[in-house]
Amino acid sequence: MSETTATWLDFWQQENEFDYTMSVKYNYFLARIEKYIPLSKTFKVLDMGSGPGNLEAAWHDRVAEIHGLDISKRYNEIARARHAQHATIFFHDLSSDDYLNFSPVADKKFDVIIVMSVVQYYRNAAEIEQLLKAIKQVAAPGAKAMICDLMVGGSVLKDIGSIIGRSLKQGQLLTMLKLLIRLRLSSYYAVRKKNGFLVVPKEEWLAMCQKLALTAKFVEEPLTMQQERQNLLIQF
């Protein structure tokens, strides 16, 4: 592992193995999310951790606006180029030193807020509370937020086992096995070994939501290919 990929923040700034498989995992999510968050042409959407703009590709003509936030300038450049023809899609850079500062969208209110596979890379539970406060500040009355792919317990091996099983059922086993092999041989494994993942039990999540007067519940149905992970729905 080089010094330039010493942390999760560094990892996402560079070309990585997820560039080639992220859309497969996102399609699984997209096929299920509208059961819990129906869309409307009048809705404004916030996509926290927007990456290369997969949510925007699916929803750009189904809502009024989508604003993506990401710490990776590389992903934002890819997403802006991908959606250059979409006048209602916007991507904002988050500071790698202050990535819970939502100032780029502080003057807006959103009807739908999606946080996809981001929280496991945070440093501690205090940052989760900051995230919840930031979401609360930009949520419109009646808004819904889904915080997805949360690690709440179990082991990395169970996490890997669940995604392999789901990939098999989706006909994507070979693609996923190739990804796992590439990850094992790449800087991802070294960064994970050094920094780990943030694991926060469900009861801690619910306690933080209660503290902030947020109405929240965990969705029983898995929404991502990592079946061991959980998804939290917040209603405003």
Side-chain angles (χ1 to χ4, degrees), residues 24-32 166 170 223-224 227:
V24 173
K25 295 172 67 178
Y26 219 97
N27 287 339
Y28 186 91
F29 166 77
L30 288 168
R32 289 157 179 78
R166 189 55 50 183
Q170 296 295 312
L223 300 182
T224 67
Q227 305 289 283

Side-chain angles (χ1 to χ4, degrees), residues 202-216:
K202 293 168 72 172
E203 57 267 22
E204 288 190 30
W205 274 99
L206 295 174
M208 280 188 278
C209 289
Q210 185 176 27
K211 176 182 176 182
L212 297 173
L214 297 174
T215 302

